[in-house]
């Protein structure tokens, strides 16, 4: 089973819906990571403001932080290999790294018939 780890910069939460405005990059990666988990991919996500120890304990992440400080974040690691720094992975990159079809990451979430909300991309 593939494993992806995302090391986020310090922020109040990883959803992107906090603060004065919604951050579409955060909502997109949050949604995609949720989809990956539902497909059996092992996903771990760490926030610098609340899970500092995870950044210290991971030698790869710690090394990037020593060289580039917080400018290196976010960092995406797949199966122990740093795949991307300084930006969240694109849909295409996630699909390639995790060997899945892109459509799994772009399909709309099924909406229950009694739901009042629809998730938009």
């Amino acid at each position: 089973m593939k494993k992806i780890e995302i090391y986020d910069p310090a922020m109040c939460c990883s959803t992107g819906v906090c603060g004065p405005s919604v951050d579409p990059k955060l909502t997109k990666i949050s949604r995609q990571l949720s989809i990956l988990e539902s497909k059996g991919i092992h996903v771990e996500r760490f926030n610098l403001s609340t899970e500092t120890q995870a950044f210290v304990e991971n030698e790869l992440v710690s090394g990037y932080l020593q060289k580039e400080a917080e400018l290196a974040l976010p960092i995406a690691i797949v199966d122990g290999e740093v795949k991307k720094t300084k930006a969240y992975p694109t849909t295409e990159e996630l699909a390639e790294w995790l060997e899945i079809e892109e459509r799994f990451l772009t399909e709309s979430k099924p909406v229950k018939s009694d739901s009042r909300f629809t998730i938009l991309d």
Side-chain angles (χ1 to χ4, degrees):
M1 174 174 42
K2 292 280 189 182
K3 176 181 176 183
I4 183 167
E5 300 163 79
I6 302 290
Y7 290 81
D8 288 305
M11 53 189 168
C12 62
C13 75
S14 60
T15 63
V17 297
C18 299
S21 62
V22 174
D23 184 339
K25 291 179 291 191
L26 287 174
T27 56
K28 180 180 178 184
I29 192 71
S30 292
R31 181 172 178 273
Q32 290 181 325
L33 292 175
S34 177
I35 291 170
L36 290 172
E37 277 189 307
S38 74
K39 301 290 183 192
I41 304 290
H42 184 91
V43 175
E44 290 189 52
R45 192 167 184 190
F46 305 99
N47 182 337
L48 182 60
S49 64
T50 58
E51 298 160 297
T52 309
Q53 195 61 31
F55 291 74
V56 173
E57 291 175 353
N58 185 305
E59 291 180 19
L60 294 170
V61 173
S62 179
Y64 272 95
L65 290 176
Q66 288 176 9
K67 284 188 246 171
E68 302 179 43
E70 293 178 37
L71 296 176
L73 301 174
I75 297 174
I77 299 175
V78 175
D79 293 337
E81 180 182 344
V82 174
K83 292 292 194 178
K84 189 168 188 173
T85 64
K86 303 177 184 173
Y88 290 102
T90 65
T91 300
E92 295 79 16
E93 290 169 333
L94 286 172
E96 178 186 335
W97 301 339
L98 299 169
E99 300 171 357
I100 61 172
E101 294 180 40
E102 283 183 36
R103 67 181 174 90
F104 289 126
L105 295 165
T106 57
E107 290 176 343
S108 294
K109 193 172 186 173
V111 178
K112 294 179 183 175
S113 60
D114 62 344
S115 178
R116 298 181 333 179
F117 303 100
T118 302
I119 296 175
L120 303 173
D121 288 326

